[in-house]
Amino acid sequence: MSDFIAGVALAIALLSAVYVRHSVKAAEHANQIAIHHERLKIYKALVSLVSALSARGVAIGKDDVWAFYEPATLSKFYFKPDLATALLKVFDDSVTLISKKAEWGDTSHGGEYDQELVKETHALHRATRDRARQLTKEVESELVINPS
């Protein structure tokens, strides 16, 4: 009788181990789906910013830039540090772009200063837009689930 009970206990232990293993795999899969979903939200926000930078140029709006603040800030939880830092830099440069463009209305400085400010603003715009475009490719590579 004790052998029978030991055998049943062994069978239950084995079934429990199999169940736990499947549960762990399911939990890992659910975690991967959740991370992918958050990465996708960050990617969509970046694409939206790139679209605004491309379509509006230096006239990009505050709303377009500030919509990217939260995704850029949260990127540190979903991407490697260098990629998250680069996303935050794009946000910061976009804010600087808005500030430089706002200075265009101040004509008290004079012609040469104004011309230099316009050149700097356009150069910052191009650099920010191009870096953001490059980052979309880097983030996109993190999103690919089934590479071909």
Side-chain angles (χ1 to χ4, degrees):
M1 184 63 161
S2 63
D3 288 342
F4 176 73
I5 293 174
V8 170
L10 177 64
I12 291 172
L14 289 173
L15 288 173
S16 295
V18 169
Y19 176 77
V20 166
R21 185 170 183 213
H22 286 291
S23 295
V24 166
K25 284 185 178 184
E28 287 173 348
H29 186 67
N31 192 39
Q32 288 174 348
I33 290 170
I35 290 172
H36 184 268
H37 178 73
E38 293 303 315
R39 285 179 173 178
L40 186 59
K41 284 176 26 181
I42 293 167
Y43 175 76
K44 287 178 179 180
L46 178 61
V47 168
S48 179
L49 180 65
V50 168
S51 296
L53 284 164
S54 298
R56 295 186 188 91
V58 296
I60 188 171
K62 291 178 190 177
D63 292 342
D64 295 317
V65 173
W66 282 100
F68 187 61
Y69 174 73
E70 183 179 332
T73 302
L74 294 177
S75 67
K76 65 186 172 187
F77 299 111
Y78 301 103
F79 295 106
K80 293 177 183 166
D82 57 332
L83 185 53
T85 300
L87 289 167
L88 280 170
K89 174 101 170 81
V90 166
F91 170 77
D92 291 340
D93 288 348
S94 298
V95 171
T96 302
L97 178 64
I98 290 172
S99 298
K100 283 188 174 290
K101 175 64 168 83
E103 288 182 47
W104 286 14
D106 182 7
T107 58
S108 64
H109 299 302
E112 192 173 308
Y113 174 83
D114 292 341
Q115 289 176 356
E116 188 60 33
L117 178 63
V118 169
K119 285 180 187 177
E120 287 176 13
T121 306
H122 282 287
L124 178 61
H125 166 259
R126 285 189 299 275
T128 303
R129 181 200 60 211
D130 293 347
R131 182 62 186 138
R133 283 180 180 164
Q134 179 61 35
L135 282 172
T136 59
K137 294 174 186 170
E138 292 178 37
V139 171
E140 192 174 288
S141 71
E142 298 284 330
L143 290 171
V144 176
I145 296 173
N146 296 321
S148 51

